[in-house]
Amino acid sequence: MTWPPACLHLRIPIYEVEPEKLLSQALISVVTPFHNTAAYLAQCIESVLAQSYSHFEYILSDNCSTDGSGEIAESYARRDPRIRVVRQPRLLSQVPHYNAAIAEISADSRYCKVVQADDWIYPECLRLLMEAAEQSENIGLVSSYWLKGSEVRGSGFPCQKTFLSGRETARLYLRTGLWVFASPTTVLYRSSLVRECKRFYDESALHEDSEKCLQILEKWDFGFVHQILSFSRADNEGISSAVRDLQPVALDRYIIVQRSAAVFLEADEAAAIRKNARRIYYRALAHGALRLRGSGFWRYHQKGLDTLGEKLDWLYLALQISQVLLWMAANPGTTAKRAVSSWKRRAMRSGTAARAGDVLQAR
């Protein structure tokens, strides 16, 4: 496996933890749930086996694959005793499958790392995430920079910090929108948090991994590695790809702010941030309306709002549409450029909307 050469050397701070205090033999449970990912699975597995930190168990959970993915997993398991293949007895939707897979971790593991089957991790990933976690016994969640396709993500975390209190990290997100958790491939969990839940991810949530991170930060601190440690594809046909045109980031932030602002902020600030988040969210919906998004777009957002007990506010949406139209009329040059860029993106993603409907139905 080849590693992009310029992506491995963004380390800035030095961890303030003495080497002899590191639990160098702490067991890390690595979990890869998969379903029909034969095109990517070998690369994912090999990235885990290439880790500089070798004391891990690797659980590969086959969700009734029919494309040879299960055979790929078994071939690696025969070569490496750290690998255990689990076969689900029936086809599960994504989040229940992730919960079933992560429930297989050893009672002895100290940390848990999900690596999604169409992603991969860099050779120092496990070691550096573990070292960041070992700074404090109260760190429950660790993340780092990551690559989304060829784009570096996660920048903006205070450059001289390697950990913050969980509440401070959550406040940073609520106030600035700085999101450093990405997908499950990017983060490391303390295994005790996984074992204490019958279902680690909330199966009723639309963006279950995001909400889990905020839930952890209520009681646990956060560690960060100033280095690119994982890679997520931007060109595959997974769930995140299929819903990209549905503006999931806007919905994700709105849900988290509405649920979490009052938990981490004083009442006046929480109210102001929730109000602003609502305006920004409905402005995003207004752009969707003006691009003539179909019924799948609105079903997706109503499904997310259902988790808050809300319905789409069509009157408020109409107000935001009118404000967007006024801005477009006042800025015709910018409007034309955006229209061309939007057309190009939609042309490149032809077929995505159709796939999104199938994905949402499966969820």
Side-chain angles (χ1 to χ4, degrees):
M1 176 171 195
T2 58
W3 312 99
C7 300
L8 300 177
H9 304 291
L10 295 181
R11 214 180 310 178
I12 298 174
I14 297 175
Y15 299 114
E16 297 178 358
V17 56
E18 298 176 19
E20 60 270 20
K21 292 185 179 180
L22 287 173
L23 294 182
S24 60
Q25 291 304 306
L27 179 64
I28 301 176
S29 295
V30 184
V31 182
T32 294
F34 65 90
H35 170 70
N36 289 348
T37 54
Y40 310 119
L41 186 59
Q43 187 177 31
C44 171
I45 295 172
E46 289 180 13
S47 77
V48 175
L49 298 182
Q51 292 299 295
S52 62
Y53 185 81
S54 61
H55 192 49
F56 61 83
E57 63 171 353
Y58 192 11
I59 299 163
L60 293 166
S61 178
D62 182 5
N63 190 23
C64 302
S65 296
T66 57
D67 69 341
S69 297
E71 289 73 15
I72 293 172
E74 291 287 359
S75 70
Y76 280 97
R78 287 192 292 270
R79 292 179 246 165
D80 196 312
R82 295 172 298 182
I83 298 177
R84 176 160 52 96
V85 178
V86 176
R87 295 189 180 274
Q88 300 302 326
R90 60 184 179 86
L91 181 64
L92 302 172
S93 55
Q94 188 194 41
V95 183
H97 180 212
Y98 275 48
N99 279 334
I102 207 170
E104 296 285 341
I105 68 171
S106 168
D108 299 325
S109 77
R110 186 171 177 84
Y111 300 108
C112 178
K113 179 82 184 80
V114 176
V115 183
Q116 297 183 118
D118 50 359
D119 298 340
W120 43 263
I121 56 178
Y122 284 99
E124 295 294 310
C125 181
L126 295 185
R127 182 179 69 82
L128 291 178
L129 290 176
M130 183 193 71
E131 289 180 3
E134 289 293 309
Q135 294 174 98
S136 167
E137 292 185 357
N138 201 51
I139 291 177
L141 180 69
V142 183
S143 190
S144 69
Y145 303 129
W146 71 96
L147 282 182
K148 179 72 171 180
S150 60
E151 183 179 343
V152 178
R153 299 285 183 90
S155 60
F157 193 79
C159 65
Q160 296 303 316
K161 299 284 189 179
T162 57
F163 76 93
L164 291 173
S165 74
R167 301 188 72 82
E168 187 177 357
T169 304
R171 287 193 290 267
L172 185 64
Y173 167 69
L174 292 167
R175 290 167 177 162
T176 70
L178 175 62
W179 187 250
V180 291
F181 311 117
S183 72
T185 296
T186 309
V187 299
L188 179 83
Y189 306 111
R190 190 169 289 271
S191 290
S192 60
L193 301 181
V194 175
R195 286 191 291 263
E196 73 183 13
C197 302
K198 184 176 180 180
R199 295 180 179 87
F200 183 66
Y201 296 115
D202 183 353
E203 296 176 8
S204 67
L206 191 61
H207 304 125
E208 67 293 330
D209 54 322
S210 302
E211 296 193 33
K212 173 54 68 173
C213 288
L214 269 291
Q215 180 185 342
I216 290 172
L217 295 179
E218 289 185 38
K219 298 179 180 179
W220 293 82
D221 294 336
F222 176 69
F224 191 80
V225 180
H226 291 266
Q227 188 165 342
I228 296 173
L229 297 180
S230 61
F231 171 87
S232 296
R233 297 182 189 277
D235 58 351
N236 66 317
E237 299 183 2
I239 286 180
S240 61
S241 176
V243 302
R244 187 185 296 118
D245 282 348
L246 305 182
Q247 296 177 324
V249 174
L251 177 58
D252 196 16
R253 174 162 172 80
Y254 180 72
I255 291 173
I256 289 176
V257 169
Q258 298 307 311
R259 283 188 170 167
S260 302
V263 176
F264 297 102
L265 301 170
E266 297 295 330
D268 289 347
E269 184 180 12
I273 285 178
R274 290 177 68 178
K275 181 178 179 180
N276 187 53
R278 187 170 190 264
R279 179 187 63 80
I280 293 172
Y281 172 59
Y282 272 87
R283 185 64 58 89
L285 292 182
H287 283 284
L290 292 172
R291 293 187 181 103
L292 303 179
R293 298 301 194 206
S295 59
F297 178 88
W298 302 107
R299 286 197 304 271
Y300 175 77
H301 285 274
Q302 186 55 70
K303 184 175 181 179
L305 293 175
D306 285 343
T307 67
L308 295 172
E310 293 185 14
K311 296 295 182 184
L312 277 165
D313 188 335
W314 297 103
L315 184 61
Y316 188 63
L317 175 59
L319 173 63
Q320 295 303 319
I321 291 173
S322 67
Q323 292 183 359
V324 171
L325 288 172
L326 287 172
W327 185 92
M328 292 170 67
N331 299 271
T334 302
T335 299
K337 289 180 181 178
R338 289 185 174 181
V340 171
S341 296
S342 176
W343 179 85
K344 289 181 177 178
R345 287 195 299 270
R346 294 181 69 181
M348 292 175 63
R349 297 171 186 169
S350 60
T352 295
R355 292 195 303 271
D358 293 339
V359 170
L360 291 174
Q361 183 66 34
R363 292 187 63 137

